[in-house]
Each structure stands twice: as C-alpha cells, then as structure tokens.
Amino acid sequence: MKKIYIIIGIFFILIVLLLLIVIGTVILLLGIGENPAGNIARIDIDGVLTLQPEGTYPFREEISVEDYIEALDKAEMDPNIKAIILRVNSPGGEVIASEKLARKIKEVSEKKPVVAYVETIATSGAYMAIAPANCIVAEKHSIVGSIGVRMDVIQYYELMRKLGINVTVIKAGKYKDICSPYRPMTPEEKKYLEHMINETYIDFVRWVAENRNMTVEETLKVANGKIYSGYDAKKAGLVDYVGTEEDAVKIAQKLANISHPMVVDYTPHIYTGFFNLMSSLAYSLGYGIGKGFGEIWIETHTFYPPSVTY
C-alpha cells in the first residue's frame, strides 16, 4: 500500500512539473502582460552593457542590450507613446553592445523625443549610448563621461616560470597568439593593438562630437577618460541640464507637446524565482533538443580576445 502512495505522489509531482513547463513555455512565447496606458515611456538602463549576460539561460537575471533595443522598438511603434525617458545607471560595457544601443537610440530620437536622465552614472559606453538623445539631464552629483577605450591583456608567464610550468604553442600565422598570456608581448604587437584601440577611440570621439553638436577638437578636450559630476558635465557640454527625474519628465512633455504626461514603465524585466526557472527550463530543453538533432557543433581555430570595453 505504501508503494502505491509513493507511486501516486511521484506521478502527481511529475504532472505538476509538466504543467509548469507547459505554462512557462506559453509565457515565454506570448510574453508576460502588456504595457499599461501612458504617453511617456520610461526605460531603465542599468548595469554593464552586454550582448550576452553571464550565466546560462535558465539562471539569467541580467538584461542585455538586445532587451533594451526590443523595449525601444515597442515604445517607438506604440502610437500612444509620444516621448521616451531613459533613466540611466550604467558604467558602460562592451564595445559592440554600446554601439548597437547608441545606434538604436539615435534612430528612435529622430522619430520621437528621447530624454536621457542620468540618475547616478552614465560613463563610457553608457554615455555613448545616450549621446544622441534629444536632451540629457543629469543629477548634480551623478557621474558622467569617462570617454575612452581600454584593452585588458592578462599575462601570467612570470608566475608560470616561477612554478616551473611551460607551454609550447604551435601556430600558423604570425599574430595567431597575439595577447598570449604565456609570453611577453612584443613591441610590434603592442603597437598594432594600440592602433586598433586608437581607431575605436576616434570613432567614439566623433560619435560624441556629431551627436552633441561639438567639434572634434572640443570633444577631444573632454574625452581623455576623465569623469565629471553632473554639474561639471554641463559646463563641459556633455549634458544639457542639471536636474531631477521630474525635470526630465517636464522636458519630455514640452518636446512632445503633451498636455497631461503619463509615464509608463517599458523597462524589460527578467522574472526570477521557481516559476521562471521552470519556464526557462522548458525553453532550454527545447533549444537543446533542437540543437542536438539539428547540428553537431565543432569549435576549432578559436581566438580568445582580450577584454575591450568603453
């Protein structure tokens, strides 16, 4: 009799898990809810800007740049939304992620007024992203700027030598092991990488100059990696106003000619908890099975680049 109860209990648990997976899959496909009515969309841009957040999909709790772009698309296409406020708390991030978000914000700003509100920090790639906004408002003691590019190359050949560890690299192609942690970088390699970084830096400077109505020479004076308070950023020409979120709403209202502003949250969300785990698990299982039957993935000749960030 006891075995029967155990079997029934296990069967019941499996049914519940199956229902959760099915419901979770439907939610993933259809989305969770609709944006409530409003005429000003607010999108929070928080944390490091990345294309692929760390962690596997079921346990992802970070928002990617692709999520922000999707939110901007929705706000752009919604006829009820007349203006967009970007509430920024980001130190920047990956080069490509920052550039993709910047291009999207520029695209949207040419169709609807976009006001960027720097609540705590908008530096590096985050500043690049909001530079095309129609107006930038920053809190007096927020942090703005840090216009520059960096590349981090980790090398531990000295430690390996002390530990008696040796690595033999067999390569075809002169620069195939550039940035190798197993040996010192040659002056020629360093010069080559510096050239790449300088090209990226000049593109950053030109982007800021173009979108902030500054000359390249004026931008270069403030684009030395230095950070500014919101107050000093105003004097440097990097923001338009020193103010609060309420000020940002008033500016958006004026730019969009809105009589009664109603702010609605368009920020993409990652739903956490057991229910989200089940729904995400369903997606991951389906994706994994599809990959298993659809192809055999072989990775070879891989180059692991150093970290390059804004």
Side-chain angles (χ1 to χ4, degrees):
M1 195 71 175
K2 185 177 180 181
K3 290 183 178 180
I4 295 177
Y5 288 140
I6 292 175
I7 293 173
I8 293 174
I10 293 173
F11 179 76
F12 178 77
I13 291 172
L14 290 174
I15 292 296
V16 170
L17 288 175
L18 181 61
L19 286 173
L20 287 173
I21 290 174
V22 171
I23 295 172
T25 303
V26 172
I27 289 176
L28 283 176
L29 293 175
L30 300 181
I32 301 181
E34 298 293 335
N35 293 103
N39 49 30
I40 297 178
R42 186 188 67 232
I43 300 174
D44 292 345
I45 299 178
D46 296 319
V48 178
L49 302 179
T50 63
L51 289 177
Q52 297 293 335
E54 293 183 4
T56 56
Y57 186 87
F59 304 100
R60 182 166 77 91
E61 297 183 7
E62 297 177 352
I63 297 174
S64 73
V65 159
E66 298 296 342
D67 296 321
Y68 292 130
I69 290 175
E70 183 179 353
L72 284 163
D73 278 332
K74 290 180 180 178
E76 178 186 353
M77 299 301 293
D78 190 337
N80 295 318
I81 297 300
K82 308 303 180 184
I84 299 169
I85 292 177
L86 305 174
R87 186 164 60 184
V88 189
N89 297 284
S90 171
E94 298 171 0
V95 169
I96 302 302
S98 303
E99 290 176 348
K100 289 185 72 172
L101 182 58
R103 290 195 296 267
K104 183 59 186 180
I105 291 174
K106 183 176 179 66
E107 174 193 320
V108 176
S109 69
E110 293 172 349
K111 300 175 183 177
K112 294 182 179 183
V114 176
V115 177
Y117 162 62
V118 183
E119 187 172 44
T120 59
I121 182 172
T123 54
S124 302
Y127 182 76
M128 166 183 268
I130 66 172
N134 302 99
C135 182
I136 301 178
V137 180
E139 290 282 350
K140 182 178 181 180
H141 299 298
S142 63
I143 299 175
V144 181
S146 188
I147 300 172
V149 187
R150 59 180 287 180
M151 174 184 285
D152 297 331
V153 180
I154 299 176
Q155 295 178 309
Y156 38 78
Y157 57 88
E158 284 288 352
L159 176 62
M160 293 175 63
R161 181 181 60 81
K162 292 178 180 179
L163 295 175
I165 301 173
N166 180 57
V167 175
T168 301
V169 177
I170 301 172
K171 64 178 181 179
K174 180 179 179 180
Y175 295 99
K176 185 58 182 176
D177 68 336
I178 193 171
C179 300
S180 171
Y182 309 137
R183 63 172 177 81
M185 185 179 296
T186 67
E188 183 182 1
E189 289 172 335
K190 185 176 181 182
K191 184 177 180 180
Y192 176 73
L193 293 174
E194 286 174 344
H195 174 71
M196 290 179 58
I197 293 300
N198 285 331
E199 278 190 337
T200 307
Y201 171 68
I202 292 301
D203 284 344
F204 193 170
V205 170
R206 287 174 178 164
W207 177 265
V208 173
E210 173 189 342
N211 290 284
R212 291 297 303 166
N213 295 317
M214 300 167 67
T215 65
V216 171
E217 291 72 22
E218 289 172 336
T219 307
L220 282 170
K221 292 178 181 179
V222 297
N224 54 6
K226 185 178 180 180
I227 59 172
Y228 300 86
S229 67
Y231 178 76
D232 288 334
K234 168 67 170 62
K235 293 193 293 183
L238 297 179
V239 305
D240 299 294
Y241 298 98
V242 175
T244 64
E245 185 173 359
E246 289 72 21
D247 295 321
V249 172
K250 291 178 182 178
I251 292 170
Q253 177 185 1
K254 183 177 180 180
L255 290 175
N257 194 26
I258 300 171
S259 56
H260 300 289
M262 296 177 61
V263 179
V264 57
D265 186 15
Y266 265 65
T267 304
H269 296 285
I270 301 297
Y271 294 87
T272 58
F274 178 77
F275 187 74
N276 179 62
L277 178 59
M278 289 298 101
S279 60
S280 298
L281 181 60
Y283 174 89
S284 298
L285 286 172
Y287 180 77
I289 293 171
K291 290 282 285 186
F293 282 104
E295 63 177 295
I296 299 175
W297 182 259
I298 301 176
E299 183 175 320
T300 185
H301 304 306
T302 304
F303 169 64
Y304 295 96
S307 172
V308 182
T309 58
Y310 280 133

